[in-house]
Amino acid sequence: MNKKIIAATVLALALAGCKTSPTGRTQIALYSEQQMDKMGVASFEQMKQEQAIERNADTNRYVKCIADALIAQLPAQYAQQQWEVIVFKEPSANAFALPGGKIGVHTGLLDVAKNQHQLAAVMGHEVGHVIAEHANERVSQNSLLQLGLQAGNAALEMGNVQYRNAIMQGLGLGAQYGITLPFSRAHESEADVIGLDLMAKAGFKPEGAVELWQNMEKAGGERPMEFLSTHPSPQNRIAMLQSKMAQANTLAANAKRQGRNPSCQ
């Protein structure tokens, strides 16, 4: 009887939390924006305490310039947020964005993303995760898999060490805490599409996305880089991006006509 009650509860929660992503995909998102923002802000604050921050003014100005151009093209509810952009002294070629208006870029990414267009592709992709509510979806899935909202409720309090790894996994930060549970390939592909459109609307060259993944593939060598190990293969990623390039170039041309021409150096 208890199992039936639990199953019915889980099903009811799943149905109640059904939403549609920006690309039209059905997803489960059980938590409010406020709850997810709280989780994102708390995690980001902890990272700032635990990880070295790049203080070079030119580097920070460059990354923030790209972030500002992308943020200006977000849907109103996100564009109006007060975004915080931090460059972390970390050799891995990675970046991330969290609910609550937080963006982190590793210095190692600047060695692979050779120009503003390539870096905009990665940052647009990461912000795409946020506006598609992928963190909400992952945390919701974790909660449902644990038969109810007990784990999720504990996670929101950010005070129970037992659930710390689940929270980090839900936010897509598992690799940085010794746990690997990345966004699914569906999330990654969706973020690629959103990010490509976003960078194009901001006036960056869409071809930079393809060039970036070509660089990533070269940098990985025979052994995949950590950032690539659980993501779609660079070849598949490049092929998908190329299939969307005509539409992205149209968006970029419109951006140029409207005076959006970023010059971040």
Side-chain angles (χ1 to χ4, degrees), residues 156-170:
L156 292 176
E157 296 300 325
M158 299 297 290
N160 191 331
V161 177
Q162 178 182 356
Y163 297 107
R164 180 64 181 172
N165 288 340
I167 298 168
M168 292 303 100
Q169 291 165 0

Side-chain angles (χ1 to χ4, degrees), residues 197-259:
D197 283 355
L198 181 59
M199 68 179 292
K201 289 176 182 177
F204 295 103
K205 295 178 181 177
E207 293 84 357
V210 170
E211 294 168 357
L212 180 280
W213 288 110
Q214 290 170 338
N215 293 350
M216 284 284 198
E217 186 174 22
K218 292 176 183 176
E222 294 182 2
R223 182 178 180 181
M225 299 171 63
E226 181 178 353
F227 184 73
L228 301 174
S229 61
T230 49
H231 292 56
S233 71
Q235 297 90 342
N236 290 341
R237 207 157 206 165
I238 289 169
M240 188 280 293
L241 289 168
Q242 287 175 330
S243 74
K244 305 287 185 181
M245 200 55 61
Q247 176 184 337
N249 282 329
T250 298
L251 292 174
N254 290 337
K256 299 292 185 187
R257 283 194 291 270
Q258 295 175 35

Side-chain angles (χ1 to χ4, degrees), residues 13 30-31 35-36 38-39 136 138-160 162-163 166-167:
L13 288 168
L30 301 179
Y31 298 95
Q35 289 171 318
M36 294 308 303
K38 179 180 178 181
M39 293 172 68
N136 195 336
R138 176 63 74 180
V139 174
S140 299
Q141 289 170 349
N142 286 346
S143 295
L144 292 175
L145 287 173
Q146 294 181 50
L147 298 179
L149 296 178
Q150 294 178 356
N153 290 334
L156 292 176
E157 296 300 325
M158 299 297 290
N160 191 331
Q162 178 182 356
Y163 297 107
I167 298 168

